[in-house]
Amino acid sequence: QASLAVDDFDDSTRRRAREIARAARRDRCAPNRPNEFYMQPQKYRIELERRILESLTKRFAESELLLCLFSAALYSYRRGTICEPFPPYFEQDERAYDDVELFLGAFPNLEAMVQNPQLVKNMPPQALSLLDWILNPEDHSGFSLQQVSIEEYEADVSASSGRSLSTQSRASRPDFVFKLNYSAANQCFAEFETVIRDFGSLSGYHGSGTENFHSIIHNGLDDTFSRSTSIFGEGVYLSEDRDVGYSFVKAGKVALGTHVSAMFGEQFGMLACCQVAKHPQVRHSHAQSSTRYRDSAILVDGQNQLPPGYIVVTQPQHVMIRYILVYTNKSASPLEASVRKSRIGVCQFMFLFYLGVILLLAYFKYRNSV
């Protein structure tokens, strides 16, 4: 079959193709999701109330993060692309963004709901449908969030990757860590597990804007986050180095209606820690500089070498998110905040310097060939 380049389609066709691909992925991630809960909230009101209160009492931090991420995507000017998936009750003919904003803005403070369950019981059925859909992604996207300690995350990643995180800067050490647990019915995860059994895997970090993470945790790193014009080739970019991934974190302001998140504050940044299959289609330049690994640096189009530690994934099924790292401003001291900014500046300078050297070499090579 002849393959068509992305540029062969206009924006609306690409968007529709992406929506179809994402819907197909969610069908494989959670094939038995109970849509009737969301579409008939009055009928299932008692069950919705129970599920919401259970989520808030047992998984408060996870619930607050999920609500923050949906809110960040909803209020973004790019919400047509990144507020995906969208609650089904408000997407019957077309997306009712204004209605969702209205109900989201009327939500009581989550802490207040825990202290006074009657606030949940007083919510209209449409609001119950919306809140339950946000807080329980396992039903429609095949995963759940679990807050873990920073030490547990670092020990797990160090053991699985064979690389100690002790060399990473303090600036890139997160304030909160959440693990993604995939459900047994999640066929996407089952297929990924089969791939890594055949090819092995490595860890990679992907930094992005906070508003993008609602889509990232539900849909994975699909072509929405793929670079098509990079000098190193098309694909989603990750790095083995947490510091490098952290340099691409873009903190965003998040408002939960009329109040601010008690845990994360009004602005925070996020970094995805992923497991990447060592599939032949995945391009990877090893972070180590010893002779043993020099041959693993890849030339894209026979010309441009990936920087050390960079990973380029062209197929979303070759990467799964394992952890979400959260960086808050309210917990950082002025000194630490300045260290973070300086670290970001150094990483970006080194990348631009490396890119400039490559372009300079390419220019002289062209001149000599003329």
Side-chain angles (χ1 to χ4, degrees):
Q1 292 182 341
S3 60
L4 296 175
V6 174
D7 293 338
D8 294 335
F9 299 102
D10 58 26
D11 288 341
S12 61
T13 305
R14 277 202 304 272
R15 189 182 305 113
R16 180 57 182 160
R18 185 185 297 122
E19 290 174 355
I20 293 173
R22 284 176 168 178
R25 177 182 173 86
R26 284 197 299 278
D27 284 341
R28 287 163 43 233
C29 290
N32 298 316
R33 61 184 186 274
N35 273 333
E36 63 271 16
F37 280 174
Y38 314 128
M39 304 307 294
Q40 303 178 55
Q42 185 62 50
K43 178 179 179 181
Y44 293 97
R45 181 182 185 95
I46 295 177
E47 178 64 10
L48 288 171
E49 293 172 358
R50 183 195 66 78
R51 285 158 55 94
I52 290 170
L53 289 172
E54 181 179 3
S55 296
L56 292 176
T57 53
K58 294 184 177 180
R59 300 180 297 276
F60 181 82
E62 296 87 341
S63 297
E64 183 135 292
L65 182 61
L66 288 166
L67 185 58
C68 284
L69 297 185
F70 177 75
S71 178
L74 178 69
Y75 289 105
S76 169
Y77 73 94
R78 296 170 50 239
R79 63 186 182 184
T81 299
I82 62 175
C83 195
E84 175 68 37
F86 197 76
Y89 185 88
F90 298 90
E91 195 181 23
Q92 299 184 37
D93 295 322
E94 59 182 17
R95 292 189 170 184
Y97 289 112
D98 292 341
D99 291 346
V100 175
E101 288 183 10
L102 180 65
F103 283 112
L104 189 65
F107 280 168
N109 184 292
L110 295 188
E111 288 183 321
M113 293 188 204
V114 175
Q115 296 169 1
N116 182 10
Q118 189 62 40
L119 292 174
V120 176
K121 298 180 184 299
N122 291 340
M123 293 172 68
Q126 302 94 323
L128 291 174
S129 172
L130 174 61
L131 186 56
D132 181 80
W133 181 87
I134 294 172
L135 302 187
N136 291 290
E138 186 170 4
D139 290 335
H140 54 82
S141 294
F143 77 91
S144 60
L145 284 184
Q146 175 191 0
Q147 185 179 17
V148 298
S149 68
I150 299 173
E151 293 74 19
E152 180 181 342
Y153 137 73
E154 291 183 335
D156 181 34
V157 173
S158 296
S160 60
S161 66
R163 301 179 68 231
S164 173
L165 293 177
S166 61
T167 59
Q168 303 296 290
S169 70
R170 179 183 174 185
S172 71
R173 200 166 194 252
D175 300 305
F176 299 95
V177 179
F178 294 86
K179 183 178 182 180
L180 272 75
N181 294 315
Y182 295 96
S183 66
N186 191 321
Q187 296 178 30
C188 299
F189 181 65
E191 292 166 5
F192 177 77
E193 291 281 278
T194 300
V195 172
I196 63 175
R197 278 197 298 268
D198 294 337
F199 297 100
S201 66
L202 67 156
S203 296
Y205 293 88
H206 179 84
S208 188
T210 302
E211 63 183 9
N212 294 327
F213 271 85
H214 170 72
S215 175
I216 287 175
I217 63 175
H218 286 82
N219 301 306
L221 292 172
D222 60 15
D223 66 349
T224 304
F225 309 99
S226 174
R227 296 187 180 185
S228 58
T229 58
S230 173
I231 190 172
F232 302 115
E234 182 178 351
V236 175
Y237 281 66
L238 305 95
S239 174
E240 287 186 274
D241 192 322
R242 188 176 70 192
D243 286 349
V244 174
Y246 176 76
S247 71
F248 292 93
V249 171
K250 300 173 184 175
K253 289 188 176 181
V254 179
L256 297 179
T258 58
H259 58 275
V260 174
S261 167
M263 288 196 64
F264 310 113
E266 66 176 353
Q267 181 170 332
F268 59 89
M270 303 187 68
L271 179 64
C273 176
C274 307
Q275 187 175 14
V276 184
K278 293 182 179 179
H279 192 276
Q281 293 179 335
V282 174
R283 302 195 298 272
H284 169 221
S285 175
H286 206 285
Q288 299 189 38
S289 59
S290 64
T291 304
R292 176 184 174 189
Y293 294 107
R294 284 175 188 165
D295 293 338
S296 66
I298 305 298
L299 296 179
V300 180
D301 297 329
Q303 186 176 21
N304 301 316
Q305 190 178 43
L306 286 174
Y310 270 53
I311 306 165
V312 182
V313 178
T314 57
Q315 302 296 327
Q317 63 267 29
H318 293 154
V319 58
M320 293 293 286
I321 301 169
R322 291 296 194 176
Y323 295 96
I324 293 296
L325 315 184
V326 181
Y327 302 87
T328 64
N329 284 342
K330 66 175 188 173
S331 61
S333 66
L335 176 61
E336 186 174 351
S338 67
V339 170
R340 288 183 179 180
K341 290 181 180 179
S342 65
R343 178 64 190 175
I344 292 174
V346 169
C347 290
Q348 291 178 340
F349 171 79
M350 291 302 295
F351 176 77
L352 292 174
F353 176 78
Y354 189 89
L355 184 61
V357 170
I358 291 175
L359 292 174
L360 192 61
L361 291 175
Y363 170 74
F364 282 115
K365 182 178 179 181
Y366 172 78
R367 282 194 58 183
N368 292 336
S369 63
V370 175

